[in-house]
Amino acid sequence: MTMTAENFKIEFADRLKELPPYLFVEIDKAKREAMAQGRDVINLGVGDPDSATPPHIVTAMIEAVKDGNNHHYAFDAGLPQLRQEIGKWFENRFSVKLDSDKEIYPLIGSKEGLAHLPFGIINPKDKVLLTDPAYPAYRPSLQFAGAKIVSVPIKASNDFIPDLAKLAEYKDIKAIVINYPNNPTAATATREFYEGLIKLAHEKGIIIISDMAYSEVYYDGEKPLSILEIEGAKDVAIEFHSFSKTYFMTGWRMGWACGNPTLIAALAKVKTNFDSGIFQAVQVAGIAALKSNDDVVEEMRTLYQERRDLFINGLRSIGWKITPPKATYYVWAKIPKGFNDSMETSKAFLEKADIVATPGVGFGEAGEGYVRMTLTVSKDRLNEAVARLKKFL
Ligand SMILES: *Cc1c(COP(=O)(O)O)cnc(C)c1O
């Protein structure tokens, strides 16, 4: 039989078919339709800052691009100077010394590293604990690597931190993924939680994968802890950091992993087979970012803190009481009275008020009953959002 378009049907691999359904389809479609109709949509759905990268970082990049030495394949492990600057930054921020050759590895964005790590450490059927709700990017690559994912609900009653006593009951756990400051719940971790988790990890041989993309997006001067600040962490933990949120560099794709040298080596080995490092000019810009004056990051925090206070107070004034986020630029809000679930709420916000809010259920079953709204729009727009919600709620 000859191959024709009719009898040759290209299909996705099973591993793609097995991914969880994308729950934002309907909302995305409704959003696009609203925008196509020319409606003035306030998008509180995006987790991407509205600000441009600070100019000194852009200038460093422009200069680096002009230099032909930066046009070649980069070293997989990045420029030694980049790793050293990451080490200095880390020690300055967390008082933790890292070996820049063995305990730090640059990434093409932290998401890239988080996605590649499972291939280096997870065998098929290994059990991995994942919080529910969680940032959706963790699950696919764990699934691709064959992990058996076990959901750990995180609840408001425990400040969206896993209950350590319950964690101790799970058997044969290979790894746990945690993310504080947390997307979507905006929770931060306590020292007690990290200490308890590290103790458990030592007792039971559990790898801790910590995602700290929002380490610098905090409020009221309360700096989030790195898990690596806790004694014994380097035996069991790897932590992921990002330039994206700290320096308004989401599009540049740069982050790093740090911590346990064996975990770093496993990730490095996977990456050598998948990519060829970060464009060197971007690395040079990254060095400039890490050397930034403290004011640069402080301005970012002030911007978000003002927006947070304005938005939370505005919503409170119309009767929607929300726990203010301690960190991140997410507002994780219980759905207002009169709504049955998060999807219904999001749809109504869009239809009646032209506001995009992400339904909590999209982050996991335990996210039901909440919507996530971002602070990545101007104060004027946040005021406008409050005014529209006042009319409609
Ligand atoms: C934005 C985000 C990241 C991704 O950061 P990149 O470094 O841009 O890949 C990782 N984790 C969480 C929870 C995020 O929200």
Side-chain angles (χ1 to χ4, degrees), residues 93-219:
R93 168 69 173 83
F94 299 112
S95 305
V96 173
K97 270 198 206 310
L98 296 168
D99 178 332
S100 68
D101 289 326
K102 298 195 183 79
E103 296 176 338
I104 296 173
Y105 208 85
L107 302 168
I108 311 170
S110 60
K111 184 178 177 182
E112 174 266 300
L114 284 158
H116 281 145
L117 179 67
F119 297 101
I121 57 168
I122 300 298
N123 288 313
K125 301 201 178 65
D126 279 349
K127 280 193 225 161
V128 177
L129 299 179
L130 200 55
T131 61
D132 176 5
Y135 176 56
Y138 307 131
R139 184 176 285 268
S141 72
L142 287 166
Q143 259 179 251
F144 292 166
K148 195 171 173 297
I149 295 169
V150 182
S151 283
V152 178
I154 49 174
K155 296 179 184 150
S157 55
N158 201 40
D159 296 323
F160 299 108
I161 291 172
D163 180 339
L164 282 168
K166 290 226 176 78
L167 286 187
E169 289 168 13
Y170 292 105
K171 295 213 166 55
D172 305 320
I173 299 300
K174 181 68 174 265
I176 179 169
V177 184
I178 53 165
N179 163 224
Y180 295 100
N182 185 258
N183 176 8
T185 67
T188 52
T190 58
R191 181 174 288 272
E192 293 68 38
F193 169 67
Y194 278 158
E195 284 173 351
L197 186 63
I198 288 169
K199 186 161 169 280
L200 197 65
H202 274 102
E203 285 164 8
K204 299 201 166 191
I206 300 170
I207 295 165
I208 301 171
I209 302 167
S210 167
D211 175 2
M212 217 192 166
Y214 294 94
S215 73
E216 303 317 300
V217 192
Y218 57 80
Y219 303 113

